Amino acid sequence: MSQSALITGASSGIGKVYAEHLARAGYDLVIVARRKPLLDSLALRLTQDYGIKVEVIEADLASSQGVTDVCKRIEEGARINLFINNAGYAARGTVASLDPDVLETMLQVNIIAMSRLSHSAMKRMTKEKSGKIINIASATAFILLPGNAGYGASKTYVLSFTRHMQLEALGTGVHIQALIPGVVATDFHQLAGADLANFPPERVMSADDLVSASLSALEMEELVCIPSLPEVKDWEAYQAAEKAVAANVSRNQPAARYSL
């Protein structure tokens, strides 16, 4: 029986490249996005080129109905072996100046939709005792930038949520990856009002390389994939620093430096 994958945000960028890679590997696909003409075009090409089955779901994950439709497909439709929680975008601006409605819509996609879809995938895969999930965070989870509070915080949420999922998945047969891209050469930045030309070329990764690294990390069962990080020991040091802080965040009295 062939493997199957469901990819959100599959009409362009990283999601589209995941679809192409997985199609070449023989996966049947369920591709999800708002822009149905782009999905239909991608589905036709992948079907013709690789002889796979492609199901198209038009869904706006900023809407409750869109999220409900995809959750229903994950929970009640044909089995999904790999779920890629890719949909997301950046609405940037300082906290004082950012349109609150635009902020809310971004958080609906980046946080609420991501969480609900993760719930549906975890529930079914745990019951079936197998499956893989990739949740896509961002390097901005580690980088503080003026004008990036909303987006950066949303991706910090994705990373933390996913790491908690990983703890809960122990012994269930479900493997979960947190992918942390840096700057990637897609239309994401243009849609966010940025220009890739402003980034040094050595800081920009191709979407193809990013996805290749993610799928390799999935085979290696790495929990956190930071494709451009040269040394795994740097991530391990980060985790060690977390543990050192965590050991002292809840004590029965303030630290000595606060004593007058």
Side-chain angles (χ1 to χ4, degrees):
M1 182 179 294
S2 62
Q3 298 280 293
S4 63
L6 188 150
I7 308 164
T8 64
S11 61
S12 64
I14 294 170
K16 182 179 178 182
V17 175
Y18 267 117
E20 292 167 344
H21 275 246
L22 293 170
R24 284 198 295 273
Y27 276 74
D28 290 329
L29 299 176
V30 182
I31 52 177
V32 179
R34 292 179 298 116
R35 297 176 288 183
K36 190 171 185 295
L38 293 179
L39 290 178
D40 288 339
S41 176
L42 178 62
L44 179 62
R45 177 167 63 83
L46 296 179
T47 300
Q48 291 176 340
D49 289 351
Y50 303 107
I52 62 166
K53 298 175 183 178
V54 183
E55 177 184 343
V56 168
I57 299 178
E58 179 184 10
D60 181 357
L61 297 183
S63 73
S64 179
Q65 186 60 56
V67 176
T68 297
D69 290 344
V70 181
C71 286
K72 184 176 181 181
R73 172 60 184 85
I74 293 171
E75 293 183 30
E76 301 177 11
R79 185 164 184 245
I80 298 297
N81 304 101
L82 171 60
F83 171 51
I84 301 177
N85 222 341
N86 167 71
Y89 69 98
R92 294 195 171 100
T94 64
V95 173
S97 66
L98 184 63
D99 184 327
D101 293 329
V102 172
L103 174 63
E104 183 176 335
T105 301
M106 179 188 68
L107 298 180
Q108 182 69 35
V109 176
N110 292 7
I111 293 180
I112 303 302
M114 188 280 306
S115 302
R116 287 186 57 191
L117 295 172
S118 292
H119 160 75
S120 293
M122 272 292 274
K123 182 166 67 172
R124 181 163 184 178
M125 289 179 177
T126 300
K127 182 178 180 180
E128 295 173 343
K129 299 182 180 179
S130 69
K132 298 178 180 180
I133 299 170
I134 300 175
N135 285 342
I136 300 183
S138 165
T140 58
F142 303 119
I143 302 169
L144 300 180
L145 296 169
N148 203 51
Y151 178 69
S154 75
K155 290 302 183 176
T156 300
Y157 176 93
V158 173
L159 179 56
S160 180
F161 189 89
T162 304
R163 293 176 71 194
H164 282 82
M165 287 175 65
Q166 291 166 347
L167 292 174
E168 295 168 6
L170 292 173
T172 67
V174 181
H175 176 75
I176 303 161
Q177 177 190 115
L179 174 64
I180 305 176
V183 181
V184 181
T186 69
D187 62 357
F188 174 91
H189 301 280
Q190 181 181 355
L191 295 172
D195 187 344
L196 275 175
N198 293 331
F199 296 97
E202 65 272 16
R203 298 293 299 276
V204 182
M205 183 176 290
S206 72
D208 192 70
D209 283 345
L210 177 82
V211 169
S212 292
S214 170
L215 295 177
S216 293
L218 199 64
E219 291 299 316
M220 297 163 61
E221 297 193 346
E222 279 192 359
L223 296 179
V224 176
C225 175
I226 308 176
S228 61
L229 188 70
E231 299 289 346
V232 173
K233 66 181 181 181
D234 291 335
W235 170 250
E236 293 170 347
Y238 180 90
Q239 291 179 293
E242 279 186 322
K243 289 180 180 179
V245 173
N248 290 291
V249 293
S250 182
R251 297 289 185 180
N252 64 345
Q253 56 186 349
R257 68 180 177 278
Y258 298 122
S259 300
L260 299 178

